Amino acid sequence: LQFILELRVLDSLVKSNLISEGGGGGMGAQKKGGGAKVSEDAEEQSRQRLQAILLADSFATKFRPVTLERPKVLLPIVNVPMIDYTLAWLEYAGIEEVFVFCCAHSVQVIEYLEKSEWYSHPNLVVRTIESHKSISAGDALRYMYEQQTETSQIQGDFVLVSGDTVSNMPLADLIQEHRERKKKDEKAIMTMVIKQSKSSSLTHQSRLGTDQLFIAVDPLTKQLLHYEEDKIDHPRGSICLDKSLLDSNPSVLVCNDMQDCYIDICSPEVLSLFEDNFDYQHLRRHFVKGVLVDDIMGYKIFTHEIHSSYAASIDNFRSYDTVSKDIIQRWTYPYVPDINFSGNRPLKLGRQGIYRASDAVQSRSADVGASTVIGYGTKIGDGDKILNSVIGNGCSIGSNVVIEGSYIWNNVTIEDGCEIRNAIVCDGVKIRAGAVLHPGVVLSFNVVVGRDFVVPAYSKVSLLQQPTTEDSDEELEYADSSSGTADHMSGLNLQMEPKASELGPDGAGYIWEVCEGAHDEEWKHSVAPIPKDKLSEFTQAIDDDDTDDESVIPASGELKSDADSINTDMNDPNDDYYYFEKEVEGTVLRAVEENIKVDLVTLEINGLRLSYNMESADCAGATFYSMMKLAVDTPHSSASELYKTATSIISKWKELLGFYVKKIDEQIEVIMKFEEMCQDSPKELGPLFTQILHLLYDKDVLQEDAILRWAEEKAGADEVDKVYLKQCETFIQWLKEASEEEDEDDEDEEEDD
Amino acid sequence: QNQNQNPRKLETSPCFLFTVNSVAKMDFQVVILAGGFSSTLFPLVSKEVPKALLPVANRPVLSYVLDLLESNNLKDLIVVVEGEDAALKVGGWISSACVDRLHVEVAAVAENVGTAGALRAIAHHLTAKDILIVSGDIVSDIPPGAVAATHRRHDAAVTAMLCAQPVSGPSESGGSGGKDKTKKPACEDIIGLDSWKQFLLYIAKGTEIKKDTRVKKSILCAAGKMELRSDLVDSHIYAFKRSVLQKVLDQKPAFRSLKQDVLPYLVRTQLRSDVFSDQSNVEENGNGNGKNNMQNNEVVLSQILSNASSPSFHQVYESGLDSRKTHKCCVYIADESKYFVRLNSIQAFMDVNRDVIGDANHLSGYSFSAHHNIVHPSAELGSKTTVGPHCMLGEGSQVGDKCSVKRSVIGRHCRIGSNVKIVNSVVMDHATIGDGCSIQGSVICSNAQLQERVTLRDCQVEAGYIVCVGGEHKGETFARK
């Protein structure tokens, strides 16, 4: 049925002269169609060229090891490099100027573009921008902004896409919509394209292998209110929407069944926002969330849902698989293998969605099943079984080979009797006779799989060794920045490591180890279908979640609202005090190091006190704590040395402390704090308790009343708590006597009066 | 008449009308929770007048509920009253007022047991397949039959009626009383609906949520989309499947309130229902073997009725798992043009009285004069006394000379002196108001007395209380301790 539909569409397009059958001429005709659309608002358009920024780097490592040798945007998807899909779509959608931002493997990207027809395209100006310093999308846009100030290339609103986008959505109307909204509301700086994903709850998000996405949108204005990504296999927990959202919007649509197409219409403010917020790296995780949270600037992001057109970004191997299938199933029309849209040689479409190059040689006894693509110069041997797969150009496949759901790139040699299921096989790979690739295998360039070798599921194999100093933090391993050198090394490796026997005696290549932690993720991103047990595990998780939730609900019947529990988490006074103490500690430390004046330090601590809503006593405690901590942290060999340091610190900074210990209560707080510290480190500070207490008394930090009051309070405490009270018993006794004497003196004086 | 309120316009109206008209036949039992001596309504509520009998345009508020149910052909009712005394009063009124038209049972339950507790206490009276529960303090024209129909159509475990928050309702156009309403507490209820606005996915009380609204991801994953609405309120009209309701009440003895405990519990557990686990057994024991077959038929029927070309997410979810049961929590969203107020505060009491003789006068059941007011023929008006539009003057009341009554309800047999001004107020039966009084935005309960030249503004005077000569009061409550 779909093919009939497709043919109808094609038919109507031909009639309306949008596309003519002759491959090359098609582009011009298409362009006319696009031009006609654009001319509707000729005035507006003539003022501003439609521009796009295409990020030719994913700033991620999901396609490793393949991307060590070739940039992601040049990886073929159904035998055409990804970037060609993006450029062809942009051109068709009426974009006039594209800035291709290259980072990793920039030489390769630029070389490719120079050779391709894009550089000399009549309707689309392609400019490349090269930057090796950028390690994230944020950096790239900052770089653009800096360039911008010099050359002002970006004149107005622009489309921001990454070079791995496959789409056929029209953009002109959307840009128009964005501009009109911007005119009405200065703060509407971005329009994000979203698309309904498949309807089953299990495939909402797993289809593209991306993280679970939850967004909240105002159903009337389509303003984006909340954006949250979560790991797919953790459907536990809940989404937290700020209450103010609901107060200001009578209705909020929370969606889980939307996918983010990573196509954004941006106003120039976006670039300057990146410039202002130098810590924005990721477009979504930092920028979008930052804008949503920031209510000072009040910038707004809107969403645009597409219904009939296709848009997807190839983020990982699973989306590579999904998008490939969508292309074969013609959802991306006119960007399908039998149409020349970027100088590719169109294939011939046969029954059952089989695309075949005119010069492909296929043995009579080979069985080529539905949804298969066979490229130019490829030979298929006797008794082969090929199903749901893409085979590139110049491959040679021996006899009795089984290939299912796999992607074989160009110039691959597969010898007799191999079995390949759900794998990606890059250019120049040799698979020797009888080898078996289990689902999820990725073979990078020029790998050789030995005879009868079985490559285990989900392995990633490359001629290059896995970078050993891999940073486990995904945020930090953005780009294949070392890739420039990798290009040269690959040649070396070939010669140097023919003996690499990880793939059998006559094989070549390293099987990469899965870095720890990522192991569970492997099945999500892989080309292999999600295993059954994972699916059931996934649903199981939902149930577990529910039962967890159940137990949280108090049996007392008075249902405690969920919000209460957050509140206590969030505003735990102890927590606050902890952070306050940390801050004070930092301040005091800096003051000591840089010898800042006491006045200034008190000013700073007072500021902290106000911002954390603390009492003066808390300041006293925290200040004293920081000072003692400093003393303890200063290297010392004996207790007496520690005492010396403490003495010097206290005598030097007693004024600071004195500022906060004007009242008895505050002084008691200091003693309590000190006691607490001693309990925490009984070996170091413990023995010095009395000495330091005495010191504080001598330095007039503590008054005798405070010490005596503390002693009184402590008298009723548990034995365990009395350790330090006992330690300083004599001191207190002495104080008591002294004060009695004083009292007597006072009395005497009074009597004298 | 009711097909307009159908949330999905796609539904076929014949079925719908059929269900509305034959709710009684369809094995529905109606429970009216009439409350007792509510403390929030002090001093309006007294030993003599329980909440259910508070006058709205000189008729007990309960009569509005009964009329509403009667108009939907729901005539078999159980009225549950908290406290024996209150039950006696309510029962007395019911037997005098509508014994001929309706079949009403009055049940007394202990005070302060909560709505769930009240139902638990009368559980043995409940025999029908589904129970419709209506709060007794509702003044509305939303058809409860429509809730019952929606409930039956989806074969739901519970169906709740939602309506637009009254702030934007017709009451606002009254203007004069609107001053307090401008400062409406933001979002009373937060309600999550599916994309067809058929199912209730989330419910929380807005006032309880301090900072964040937390929505469980599992339900979001199952439903795909959820629309969170803060402009709807739960109207306290529910249809429950009896077996589900009784099971929840049995299993969770701590649940006190239908709205705060039972409904959220059912909503929360809709994807892993315990309440259905042995329901079929219960049904079988009760009704023999034929029942099982019936049930299957009903499932099919509910699918046909709900126009389900694609199965609901509940069914999809259920099919994905082996031994998983789900139940449906449905909603019926009342049309925005409908009037709905719950008489649960003094402000609401004022509003209701104003609206029923004002903008929502079709509810009052009276016929209005050309001046948009109702002056009982037996009422006596002095010379130069004016009774403005949207006013009501009860049987046998006397008003002296040069008085002015605006937007107020005056009960039966009141005596009002000369030079009295009454604006936006409610004066209940047998009240006496001396010469030269000025009353604004106040409630004077029955048998209360205002002596000469008293000025009241936003005050409440308890039944039988005497306010002394010449005082000027603002925002006070007069009651004997």
Side-chain angles (χ1 to χ4, degrees):
Chain A
L1 180 70
Q2 202 197 328
F3 280 103
I4 297 169
L5 275 176
E6 211 55 77
L7 284 172
R8 273 195 197 147
V9 172
L10 184 65
D11 205 34
S12 61
L13 281 175
V14 169
K15 271 182 203 153
S16 62
N17 204 9
L18 273 174
I19 292 174
S20 64
E21 286 284 64
M27 298 320 292
Q30 271 183 41
K31 187 53 220 161
K32 263 181 227 159
K37 239 184 249 168
V38 173
S39 65
E40 278 171 21
D41 202 34
E43 243 181 286
E44 185 90 6
Q45 308 298 327
S46 62
R47 208 160 42 77
Q48 284 181 357
R49 289 161 73 86
L50 290 180
Q51 293 175 312
I53 297 179
L54 187 154
L55 300 175
D57 193 334
S58 60
F59 305 108
T61 57
K62 293 206 177 114
F63 270 89
R64 280 193 182 187
V66 183
T67 46
L68 279 186
E69 291 164 66
R70 192 184 283 186
K72 184 173 147 194
V73 293
L74 295 188
L75 302 183
I77 182 155
V78 195
N79 295 344
V80 177
M82 292 180 193
I83 196 168
D84 282 350
Y85 285 92
T86 316
L87 287 172
W89 159 61
L90 289 175
E91 190 268 346
Y92 173 65
I95 301 293
E96 290 150 286
E97 191 173 19
V98 177
F99 297 94
V100 178
F101 195 94
C102 317
C103 302
H105 301 289
S106 55
V107 185
Q108 282 190 50
V109 178
I110 292 168
E111 218 168 81
Y112 176 79
L113 287 174
E114 275 168 357
K115 271 193 216 152
S116 74
E117 64 172 41
W118 293 114
Y119 254 33
S120 53
H121 201 282
N123 301 317
L124 182 71
V125 182
V126 177
R127 298 183 201 280
T128 49
I129 294 171
E130 205 177 341
S131 156
H132 290 289
K133 273 181 274 173
S134 305
I135 52 160
S136 70
D139 286 340
L141 293 176
R142 275 186 281 280
Y143 187 80
M144 285 296 292
Y145 182 81
E146 281 158 22
Q147 296 289 302
Q148 168 80 6
T149 46
E150 289 161 27
T151 58
S152 72
Q153 291 158 317
I154 301 285
Q155 290 144 352
D157 301 332
F158 61 93
V159 182
L160 178 62
V161 292
S162 101
D164 51 16
T165 309
V166 176
S167 173
N168 58 5
M169 65 173 287
L171 282 174
D173 292 350
L174 178 58
I175 295 173
Q176 194 56 37
E177 187 188 311
H178 174 79
R179 281 182 182 159
E180 265 157 31
R181 190 185 292 130
K182 182 79 198 308
K183 230 183 265 169
K184 275 186 221 145
D185 185 354
E186 273 292 297
K187 300 289 186 188
I189 53 164
M190 186 162 125
T191 305
M192 213 167 100
V193 177
I194 54 173
K195 186 176 183 351
Q196 173 97 39
S197 52
K198 295 290 175 220
S199 59
S200 162
S201 63
L202 282 177
T203 51
H204 277 167
Q205 305 288 337
S206 57
R207 206 172 95 94
L208 288 177
T210 44
D211 285 345
Q212 181 115 312
L213 174 66
F214 295 94
I215 56 173
V217 178
D218 184 322
L220 294 175
T221 63
K222 305 289 175 204
Q223 190 190 340
L224 181 73
L225 303 170
H226 186 81
Y227 188 97
E228 184 171 334
E229 285 170 310
D230 197 2
K231 294 275 176 276
I232 189 102
D233 47 348
H234 295 290
R236 295 151 186 279
S238 25
I239 306 288
C240 292
L241 295 177
D242 202 79
K243 200 186 174 211
S244 57
L245 273 188
L246 287 162
D247 287 343
S248 47
N249 302 284
S251 171
V252 174
L253 194 60
V254 187
C255 308
N256 172 240
D257 57 351
M258 286 292 171
Q259 70 196 40
D260 189 346
C261 302
Y262 288 91
I263 298 169
D264 303 320
I265 317 296
C266 304
S267 294
E269 284 91 336
V270 171
L271 286 183
S272 54
L273 259 179
F274 267 101
E275 180 67 17
D276 294 345
N277 297 281
F278 52 85
D279 54 339
Y280 283 177
Q281 305 288 356
H282 193 271
L283 278 178
R284 295 288 183 259
R285 240 170 289 158
H286 302 120
F287 174 73
V288 169
K289 284 194 172 174
V291 170
L292 290 178
V293 167
D294 178 17
D295 41 7
I296 295 169
M297 299 300 283
Y299 284 127
K300 293 173 190 164
I301 297 174
F302 288 82
T303 58
H304 173 83
E305 191 184 341
I306 52 172
H307 298 279
S308 53
S309 24
Y310 186 86
S313 159
I314 301 163
D315 176 64
N316 50 51
F317 288 120
R318 175 169 302 285
S319 38
Y320 179 88
D321 175 56
T322 314
V323 174
S324 297
K325 286 191 171 128
D326 290 341
I327 292 172
I328 293 170
Q329 305 280 349
R330 307 179 75 75
W331 292 104
T332 59
Y333 189 86
Y335 312 111
V336 288
D338 57 331
I339 291 178
N340 170 13
F341 54 88
S342 68
N344 55 320
R345 292 167 76 187
L347 304 166
K348 204 159 166 274
L349 172 61
R351 284 179 304 106
Q352 290 186 305
I354 300 171
Y355 300 83
R356 202 190 308 259
S358 48
D359 65 348
V361 181
Q362 184 187 333
S363 154
R364 241 164 226 285
S365 57
D367 176 10
V368 175
S371 306
T372 299
V373 176
I374 296 167
Y376 284 91
T378 289
K379 291 191 199 84
I380 293 170
D382 301 330
D384 289 351
K385 274 191 182 156
I386 300 174
L387 186 67
N388 277 326
S389 297
V390 175
I391 295 168
N393 303 330
C395 296
S396 113
I397 298 169
S399 43
N400 297 319
V401 173
V402 177
I403 301 176
E404 256 179 54
S406 299
Y407 300 89
I408 316 285
W409 295 359
N410 301 325
N411 304 318
V412 173
T413 310
I414 300 172
E415 292 178 4
D416 298 351
C418 292
E419 259 184 63
I420 300 172
R421 289 202 165 81
N422 303 104
I424 291 179
V425 178
C426 297
D427 292 4
V429 169
K430 272 200 180 66
I431 303 175
R432 298 217 192 273
V436 176
L437 305 191
H438 277 300
V441 167
V442 176
L443 299 182
S444 187
F445 298 94
N446 301 317
V447 162
V448 182
V449 180
R451 183 175 283 272
D452 295 325
F453 189 81
V454 177
V455 185
Y458 302 122
S459 338
K460 290 178 177 165
V461 186
S462 172
L463 282 185
L464 303 176
Q465 247 166 336
Q466 190 164 14
T468 42
T469 54
E470 192 132 22
D471 205 319
S472 61
D473 187 3
E474 193 205 340
E475 296 287 322
L476 291 175
E477 48 164 342
Y478 295 106
D480 306 318
S481 44
S482 61
S483 45
T485 55
D487 283 341
H488 309 296
M489 278 173 62
S490 62
L492 285 175
N493 268 345
L494 255 182
Q495 276 115 43
M496 286 175 65
E497 313 272 353
K499 61 178 191 332
S501 53
E502 279 185 43
L503 293 171
D506 47 357
Y510 298 97
I511 297 181
W512 282 25
E513 277 170 38
V514 181
C515 36
E516 85 281 10
H519 198 73
D520 296 334
E521 316 269 297
E522 209 58 39
W523 60 270
K524 272 188 347 205
H525 297 151
S526 160
V527 279
I530 300 176
K532 274 242 163 57
D533 55 321
K534 289 292 177 193
L535 274 185
S536 57
E537 216 172 87
F538 176 64
T539 45
Q540 196 61 42
I542 298 178
D543 301 339
D544 289 353
D545 169 46
D546 281 345
T547 38
D548 286 355
D549 187 61
E550 181 62 21
S551 61
V552 171
I553 292 161
S556 67
E558 283 309 311
L559 286 174
K560 200 171 156 219
S561 80
D562 293 347
D564 280 350
S565 53
I566 324 169
N567 255 11
T568 48
D569 288 354
M570 301 289 288
N571 299 338
D572 195 353
N574 291 332
D575 235 29
D576 258 6
Y577 181 73
Y578 173 77
Y579 289 118
F580 170 70
E581 200 172 77
K582 281 271 170 245
E583 294 250 20
V584 171
E585 196 186 321
T587 309
V588 171
L589 199 68
R590 211 171 48 248
V592 172
E593 270 170 11
E594 295 171 19
N595 222 351
I596 299 170
K597 276 189 188 159
V598 173
D599 298 354
L600 297 178
V601 182
T602 43
L603 204 63
E604 201 164 321
I605 294 178
N606 277 344
L608 286 173
R609 176 187 149 191
L610 289 177
S611 68
Y612 281 89
N613 194 16
M614 289 292 164
E615 304 272 328
S616 176
D618 296 322
C619 293
T623 315
F624 179 71
Y625 171 80
S626 333
M627 285 161 63
M628 290 315 291
K629 186 120 194 291
L630 183 66
V632 174
D633 288 348
T634 317
H636 53 82
S637 54
S638 66
S640 60
E641 206 168 315
L642 175 62
Y643 177 65
K644 254 188 212 161
T645 352
T647 318
S648 69
I649 290 172
I650 289 173
S651 45
K652 189 164 175 206
W653 294 97
K654 67 176 183 200
E655 275 176 63
L656 174 65
L657 203 51
F659 190 85
Y660 295 106
V661 293
K662 289 184 178 130
K663 287 194 200 129
I664 300 283
D665 285 346
E666 291 152 6
Q667 295 177 10
I668 293 175
E669 171 72 26
V670 168
I671 304 175
M672 305 272 255
K673 190 84 214 171
F674 186 34
E675 202 183 356
E676 206 177 290
M677 283 187 81
C678 289
Q679 273 161 357
D680 287 347
S681 59
K683 289 223 176 79
E684 287 189 299
L685 273 177
L688 295 175
F689 183 79
T690 318
Q691 277 174 295
I692 290 178
L693 199 63
H694 200 190
L695 175 74
L696 289 170
Y697 174 71
D698 282 349
K699 297 282 177 196
D700 286 335
V701 175
L702 299 179
Q703 292 171 350
E704 58 199 31
D705 281 356
I707 298 172
L708 291 175
R709 276 261 300 276
W710 166 76
E712 270 170 41
E713 272 175 35
K714 272 281 160 181
D718 290 344
E719 282 306 305
V720 193
D721 285 349
K722 278 194 186 165
V723 179
Y724 296 102
L725 182 63
K726 279 185 184 152
Q727 197 192 55
C728 57
E729 217 161 354
T730 48
F731 174 58
I732 287 165
Q733 200 58 41
W734 176 79
L735 274 181
K736 268 186 192 159
E737 279 161 17
S739 70
E740 270 161 25
E741 271 168 33
E742 224 167 87
D743 286 350
E744 278 164 24
D745 289 352
D746 288 352
E747 278 162 27
D748 292 348
E749 277 166 32
E750 275 164 30
E751 275 167 24
D752 290 347
D753 292 341
Chain B
Q1 78 192 35
N2 298 317
Q3 62 267 52
N4 290 340
Q5 289 90 56
N6 197 333
R8 279 185 72 185
K9 300 279 198 276
L10 296 167
E11 317 304 353
T12 45
S13 42
C15 287
F16 187 70
L17 278 180
F18 164 77
T19 30
V20 169
N21 291 334
S22 55
V23 164
K25 282 176 219 149
M26 282 187 76
D27 204 11
F28 255 99
Q29 226 171 353
V30 182
V31 176
I32 300 171
L33 299 173
F37 299 109
S38 158
S39 58
T40 51
L41 285 168
F42 177 83
L44 308 190
V45 168
S46 64
K47 282 262 177 291
E48 300 301 313
V49 186
K51 182 179 170 184
L53 298 184
L54 274 179
V56 172
N58 293 343
R59 271 167 62 190
V61 59
L62 187 60
S63 69
Y64 290 86
V65 178
L66 296 180
D67 286 357
L68 184 66
L69 291 167
E70 194 190 348
S71 70
N72 280 275
N73 208 16
L74 292 161
K75 294 182 177 173
D76 227 339
L77 317 172
I78 302 175
V79 177
V80 183
V81 185
E82 281 189 8
E84 291 287 345
D85 294 348
L88 273 176
K89 296 262 184 276
V90 174
W93 175 78
I94 287 173
S95 57
S96 72
C98 50
V99 73
D100 49 335
R101 294 176 291 148
L102 300 166
H103 177 252
V104 183
E105 280 176 61
V106 179
V109 297
E111 281 177 64
N112 291 325
V113 288
T115 46
L119 282 173
R120 211 175 272 129
I122 60 148
H124 55 278
H125 288 295
L126 303 177
T127 50
K129 181 165 180 281
D130 293 284
I131 313 288
L132 187 69
I133 296 166
V134 183
S135 178
D137 55 1
I138 290 172
V139 178
S140 173
D141 51 0
I142 302 170
V147 183
T150 309
H151 181 70
R152 202 40 82 67
R153 192 170 64 228
H154 288 292
D155 192 30
V158 58
T159 303
M161 161 111 86
L162 307 176
C163 57
Q165 200 153 0
V167 64
S168 55
S171 56
E172 189 60 353
S173 49
S176 45
K179 56 182 188 290
D180 285 11
K181 287 202 155 186
T182 50
K183 200 177 69 81
K184 193 86 190 166
C187 55
E188 201 171 308
D189 287 317
I190 295 173
I191 285 161
L193 304 173
D194 76 323
S195 43
W196 290 103
K197 299 187 181 27
Q198 284 183 325
F199 298 115
L200 185 59
L201 307 179
Y202 177 80
I203 185 161
K205 229 170 138 62
T207 46
E208 274 177 13
I209 290 175
K210 290 186 185 75
K211 200 158 180 298
D212 292 324
T213 309
R214 308 194 117 194
V215 179
K216 284 242 296 292
K217 286 179 183 168
S218 51
I219 183 102
L220 258 179
C221 292
K225 270 191 186 54
M226 180 192 292
E227 192 178 353
L228 280 177
R229 300 280 293 260
S230 47
D231 56 346
L232 292 175
V233 284
D234 176 5
S235 67
H236 293 247
I237 299 180
Y238 310 107
F240 278 97
K241 207 169 238 172
R242 193 203 72 220
S243 55
V244 170
L245 179 64
Q246 284 182 337
K247 191 140 193 173
V248 173
L249 293 177
D250 285 350
Q251 281 176 350
K252 308 280 173 185
F255 281 1
R256 292 194 71 241
S257 157
L258 279 184
K259 180 188 162 50
Q260 279 165 40
D261 299 330
V262 178
L263 183 62
Y265 171 77
L266 285 175
V267 169
R268 211 168 45 233
T269 58
Q270 57 184 307
L271 289 185
R272 53 170 184 103
S273 166
D274 318 327
V275 285
F276 273 124
S277 47
D278 55 355
Q279 185 213 7
S280 55
N281 290 338
V282 175
E283 297 281 355
E284 260 175 0
N285 292 343
N287 298 286
N289 291 332
K291 191 70 192 177
N292 220 0
N293 212 359
M294 272 273 284
Q295 254 200 327
N296 285 338
N297 283 340
E298 268 164 18
V299 170
V300 174
L301 187 71
S302 84
Q303 274 171 9
I304 295 166
L305 284 173
S306 57
N307 234 359
S309 54
S310 58
S312 80
F313 74 89
H314 292 94
Q315 281 154 325
V316 172
Y317 189 82
E318 210 167 56
S319 64
L321 299 148
D322 305 326
S323 57
R324 213 36 54 183
K325 285 282 180 187
T326 60
H327 60 249
K328 291 179 189 169
C329 299
C330 292
V331 290
Y332 171 82
I333 301 175
D335 196 89
E336 268 185 42
S337 63
K338 292 288 174 188
Y339 182 79
F340 174 87
V341 174
R342 281 187 72 210
L343 205 171
N344 54 4
S345 68
I346 289 170
Q347 182 61 45
F349 177 77
M350 305 287 295
D351 292 345
V352 168
N353 270 294
R354 187 192 61 226
D355 293 338
V356 165
I357 52 165
D359 299 299
N361 57 25
H362 58 284
L363 285 169
S364 66
Y366 299 106
S367 53
F368 283 75
S369 74
H371 304 292
H372 301 289
N373 57 20
I374 307 160
V375 178
H376 197 273
S378 63
E380 291 170 26
L381 297 183
S383 67
K384 290 188 184 168
T385 284
T386 54
V387 177
H390 308 308
C391 283
M392 183 167 188
L393 206 54
E395 185 186 344
S397 285
Q398 296 171 358
V399 183
D401 299 340
K402 293 182 191 165
C403 290
S404 148
V405 181
K406 288 178 190 162
R407 289 188 169 272
S408 299
V409 178
I410 293 168
R412 299 178 192 86
H413 307 292
C414 293
R415 279 165 208 289
I416 293 169
S418 304
N419 283 317
V420 174
K421 255 178 91 175
I422 302 177
V423 183
N424 287 323
S425 298
V426 179
V427 179
M428 295 189 202
D429 302 351
H430 302 289
T432 310
I433 293 171
D435 296 346
C437 285
S438 165
I439 302 165
Q440 246 189 38
S442 301
V443 183
I444 317 294
C445 289
S446 48
N447 293 315
Q449 190 185 344
L450 302 192
Q451 293 177 344
E452 286 82 26
R453 296 183 307 285
V454 173
T455 306
L456 297 183
R457 206 186 159 94
D458 303 329
C459 293
Q460 293 87 39
V461 181
E462 194 197 23
Y465 193 89
I466 299 170
V467 182
C468 295
V469 179
E472 199 169 306
H473 306 279
K474 201 172 168 186
E476 285 179 50
T477 299
F478 297 94
R480 289 172 296 247
K481 282 292 154 215

